[in-house]
Amino acid sequence: PTRRSSDLLDLRFEFIDQDQPMSGSRRVAVGEIPRHHDEVRTVNRNWVATLDYAFDGRFGVSFGLPVFNRSHSHIHNHLGVPELEAWSYSETGDVRILGRFHMVEESADSPGLLFGLKLPTGSYKVENHDGDRAERTLQPGSGTTDVLLGAYYQFQTTGTDSWFMQALWQSALGGREDFRPGDRLGIDVGYRHPLGERIAVLLQINLLQRNRDSGGQSDPEDSGGRSVFVSPGLSARVSDNSQVYGFVQLPVYQYVNGLQLTSAWSLVAGFATRF
């Protein structure tokens, strides 16, 4: 029988500080473009735990659970009187189950397929101390079941350098309480170059396309857009089966529909171990 490959546990921390309003591809000041809500800032400090299980050399499945620590503030323009509103919470989000099929069992240089679901396990009814519910895009869960479909290709060049490419499409199967999140398409290209036995240089290019949300609880005018990021990073092996890693994600192109908050940079750091 084929020897089953190692299982993987990954724990990742994400820091994203969205403090820059943008309209289209232009940076604007808070309140420069009139809205019912003048968005001020959203700070995300998130943890994502992923358990990856390989059935054999071809089939595997991963289970991902995010925990969001999020704070948000905006100015509510009510009858000409500006009022500062704020939310802050720590909540689990939507569970993601993603299967994979590696097309060539004996070769690491092989394409594969991705398929799965995002389940509506996170709350979409978080309120602040005044009893006001946060906007649906700020909630830890979307309330919807989403289908996930994608493909990947990984290969090793001469020596020990390696590359990977992945595309993943996400689409809600329906709405929940008059809200349906827009479809998302993410495309990632990554490169790894060892500097020795323990340290490696990492580089990713990340593309994201988000369609507008829909439904009475959505804000189609101010949702969706497209972005391109460059993400340099490092990884370090701390044992035979474990490593730590980190990336800084830098936007090189951003276009948002309407008016939305963006970040000048974000940070990802994590620990991964095989067992």
Side-chain angles (χ1 to χ4, degrees):
T2 302
R3 181 180 181 273
R4 185 166 63 84
S5 57
S6 298
D7 303 319
L8 176 71
L9 176 64
D10 182 278
L11 182 62
R12 184 174 79 245
F13 173 74
E14 303 171 343
F15 177 79
I16 309 168
D17 186 0
Q18 298 170 280
D19 61 353
Q20 176 58 64
M22 287 190 69
S23 177
S25 57
R26 183 173 67 92
R27 295 181 180 182
V28 298
V30 174
E32 180 178 337
I33 299 176
R35 286 291 192 275
H36 186 61
H37 291 153
D38 293 332
E39 307 295 347
V40 177
R41 189 180 189 185
T42 302
V43 180
N44 301 276
R45 300 177 181 88
N46 308 326
W47 291 91
V48 183
T50 302
L51 177 63
D52 187 282
Y53 179 84
F55 297 103
D56 53 33
R58 283 195 170 184
F59 289 96
V61 63
S62 66
F63 303 88
L65 174 65
V67 178
F68 296 103
N69 178 278
R70 177 175 290 157
S71 60
H72 171 78
S73 60
H74 65 224
I75 299 171
H76 175 48
N77 297 305
H78 180 65
L79 301 177
V81 179
E83 300 176 356
L84 182 65
E85 296 182 326
W87 288 260
S88 182
Y89 64 81
S90 293
E91 295 273 349
T92 57
D94 291 340
V95 169
R96 189 172 85 160
I97 302 174
L98 189 64
R100 68 178 180 279
F101 173 68
H102 201 60
M103 291 185 178
V104 183
E105 185 171 2
E106 299 299 326
S107 174
D109 298 350
S110 168
L113 300 177
L114 301 169
F115 46 90
L117 294 172
K118 182 195 72 65
L119 302 177
T121 57
S123 173
Y124 55 92
K125 299 180 179 180
V126 170
E127 300 177 344
N128 62 11
H129 294 301
D130 296 324
D132 296 323
R133 189 180 295 189
E135 302 162 41
R136 289 295 293 268
T137 54
L138 295 171
Q139 295 285 347
S142 68
T144 60
T145 298
D146 298 10
V147 64
L148 305 168
L149 295 173
Y152 65 88
Y153 187 80
Q154 56 192 35
F155 58 95
Q156 189 164 327
T157 60
T158 55
T160 54
D161 292 7
S162 59
W163 291 82
F164 82 89
M165 295 177 286
Q166 176 178 299
L168 187 65
W169 173 69
Q170 178 174 334
S171 179
L173 296 176
R176 185 71 173 271
E177 284 199 1
D178 214 8
F179 175 81
R180 185 185 187 278
D183 292 0
R184 298 166 61 97
L185 174 63
I187 300 175
D188 304 303
V189 179
Y191 171 71
R192 182 181 184 275
H193 173 72
L195 296 179
E197 293 185 359
R198 292 185 175 274
I199 307 296
V201 174
L202 310 172
L203 180 65
Q204 290 189 20
I205 298 174
N206 315 111
L207 296 85
L208 177 62
Q209 167 71 42
R210 298 178 295 114
N211 292 347
R212 298 177 189 268
D213 302 331
S214 58
Q217 294 298 316
S218 69
D219 192 358
E221 182 182 0
D222 296 326
S223 62
R226 50 191 180 271
S227 306
V228 180
F229 302 92
V230 172
S231 306
L234 290 172
S235 68
R237 186 162 59 89
V238 295
S239 72
D240 289 342
N241 298 316
S242 303
Q243 68 171 342
V244 294
Y245 61 88
F247 291 92
V248 176
Q249 190 175 64
L250 306 170
V252 294
Y253 172 77
Q254 288 181 299
Y255 182 93
V256 301
N257 297 325
L259 180 65
Q260 300 179 47
L261 290 174
T262 64
S263 60
W265 61 275
S266 58
L267 173 70
V268 175
F271 170 79
T273 184
R274 294 190 176 275
F275 56 94

